[in-house]
Amino acid sequence: MNRTVIALFIGALGGGIFFAANLPLAWMLGSMTFATIAALRGVDVKVNDPLRKVMTAVLGVMLGSGFTTETLDALAQWSGGLLLLFASVILTMTVVYLFYRKFGKFDPVTAYFAAAPGGFNVMYEMGEAKGGNGPVIALIHASRILILVMTVPLYFRYGIGFTNTENVIPLLGSVKDLVGDGLLIVAALLGYGIGRICRLPAYHLMGPLLVTAAFQILGVTDVAPPMILVYMAQLVIGTAIGARFLGTNFTEIRHVLGLSFVSTMIMILIASVFALIFAETIGVSVAGVILALSPGGLAEMSLVALAMGIDVAFVSIMHAIRISLIIALVPIAFSTFDRIILRKKRN
């Protein structure tokens, strides 16, 4: 617990500085930056896993509160986004795999699992079990999420001048919303249990999200949690991302980080091209499609969409499907990869 207190103190310091500087997604970017620096310098930082899951459930409730009856009407039109998502995952993984093989000099197994645009824990465990370099795979995925969360909000704010809508939700909520807030707590607890029983991907986020969305669509409640909870979720999730780098040394890993940066930029470029071509057809903003196809974590990219006010429902749904596809198909496809690529090399 002391490690968590120290980590969150460091994260809060960074978040406060970034917030004072009026940077986008300040509490997440600031906490992530300071926690990463602390971890690389050997400070013993770690975020308690139950606390991270609780704050992720809060994020799920926040995302679910953005669903309306109009969301249901849009689902049919978003079906085109599923084909786009599938094509994006295949193209992204193929290009990045070739990049890691040619420029990173990774062995085929390490390159295969490092190239997957999501599924951090599964890719690490599966890749190491199949003979890949586990630490490199883990570092590639951790730095990919770090780079995406660091660059995407800053690009939207300063690159294209996208207006942040964080302050639309009251900071501390309202007394008249107490009943609605109570129902949201029920949605969080019920969703957490259902998500775990049904083994949903990121169940601690998806369960509360789906139950809250159902409450909103059915008219059970129409309130959103106070913004202070979003800031707390940003702080905890951002600090947790930075703490992943504990035990690594920048001098030793800078080559891998450089490769991860280039490959992440390739992934964002592919997402941006797809968005510019197909966004109008799907009926979603270009920024929304970029976020939906960007290979960040489900919680992290959903939080970016929420904080920036960019097609929150679409981004959340697409990322949930993307993670499910990757976790389900990438390990299965490895048998074909092994038969065609690895056995040919052995022969």
Side-chain angles (χ1 to χ4, degrees):
M1 182 58 72
N2 289 337
R3 297 169 68 190
T4 298
V5 172
I6 293 171
L8 292 178
F9 175 79
I10 294 171
L13 181 62
I17 292 173
F18 276 48
F19 185 79
N22 195 32
L23 292 172
L25 209 62
W27 290 101
M28 188 171 181
L29 291 182
S31 61
M32 187 172 60
T33 300
F34 275 53
T36 300
I37 293 172
L40 290 174
R41 293 185 64 85
V43 179
D44 191 14
V45 290
K46 178 178 174 61
V47 173
N48 180 269
D49 196 53
L51 174 62
R52 181 185 62 81
K53 288 182 177 179
V54 167
M55 297 315 300
T56 305
V58 170
L59 173 58
V61 171
M62 284 297 309
L63 295 170
S65 65
F67 282 64
T68 64
T69 52
E70 286 75 19
T71 304
L72 289 179
D73 296 334
L75 286 176
Q77 189 172 11
W78 291 350
S79 60
L82 297 179
L83 296 175
L84 188 64
L85 179 67
F86 188 72
S88 172
V89 167
I90 293 175
L91 178 61
T92 296
M93 190 167 176
T94 301
V95 173
V96 173
Y97 168 81
L98 294 173
F99 169 78
Y100 284 145
R101 289 286 291 139
K102 183 173 179 60
F103 296 99
K105 306 302 180 184
F106 290 179
D107 64 86
V109 177
T110 300
Y112 178 86
F113 287 101
F120 183 155
N121 293 324
V122 175
M123 296 307 112
Y124 162 68
E125 293 171 5
M126 188 81 173
E128 192 166 55
K130 294 296 184 181
N133 189 325
V136 168
I137 295 171
L139 184 60
I140 286 288
H141 283 284
S143 55
R144 167 178 53 80
I145 294 171
L146 177 74
I147 292 165
L148 276 167
V149 178
M150 284 294 293
T151 56
V152 171
L154 294 175
Y155 173 72
F156 282 149
R157 168 71 73 84
Y158 301 111
I160 61 177
F162 196 94
T163 302
N164 193 312
T165 59
E166 282 181 302
N167 296 322
V168 171
I169 303 171
L171 181 65
L172 298 175
S174 172
V175 174
K176 64 183 177 61
D177 291 336
L178 287 179
V179 174
D181 289 340
L183 290 170
L184 292 181
I185 294 174
V186 172
L189 295 173
L190 186 62
Y192 189 96
I194 292 174
R196 187 168 187 174
I197 292 171
C198 296
R199 297 184 179 181
L200 296 175
Y203 67 88
H204 42 288
L205 184 147
M206 287 307 301
L209 187 159
L210 293 173
V211 173
T212 304
F215 277 22
Q216 294 282 337
I217 292 170
L218 295 173
V220 176
T221 180
D222 61 354
V223 304
M227 199 66 200
I228 187 69
L229 291 179
V230 180
Y231 291 153
M232 290 172 63
Q234 288 183 22
L235 171 61
V236 172
I237 294 172
T239 304
I241 294 173
R244 287 173 177 164
F245 291 89
L246 181 64
T248 59
N249 181 287
F250 181 76
T251 303
E252 297 172 353
I253 64 173
R254 59 185 176 185
H255 173 65
V256 175
L257 290 177
L259 291 171
S260 182
F261 178 82
V262 175
S263 66
T264 301
M265 293 302 105
I266 292 172
M267 293 176 177
I268 294 177
L269 177 62
I270 292 172
S272 299
V273 171
F274 274 44
L276 290 170
I277 297 173
F278 298 107
E280 186 175 349
T281 303
I282 299 172
V284 180
S285 69
V286 171
V289 177
I290 292 174
L291 278 183
L293 299 183
S294 293
L298 172 57
E300 292 82 7
M301 299 315 294
S302 296
L303 191 48
V304 171
L306 177 66
M308 302 297 290
I310 303 173
D311 296 304
V312 176
F314 175 76
V315 173
S316 302
I317 290 172
M318 288 298 113
H319 273 287
I321 295 172
R322 178 180 63 84
I323 295 298
S324 299
L325 279 174
I326 291 171
I327 292 174
L329 299 181
V330 169
I332 293 174
F334 181 77
S335 60
T336 302
F337 173 81
D338 178 66
R339 185 171 62 255
I340 297 175
I341 304 296
L342 300 185
R343 291 181 186 177
K344 183 183 295 185
K345 292 181 72 67
R346 287 194 290 266
N347 294 333

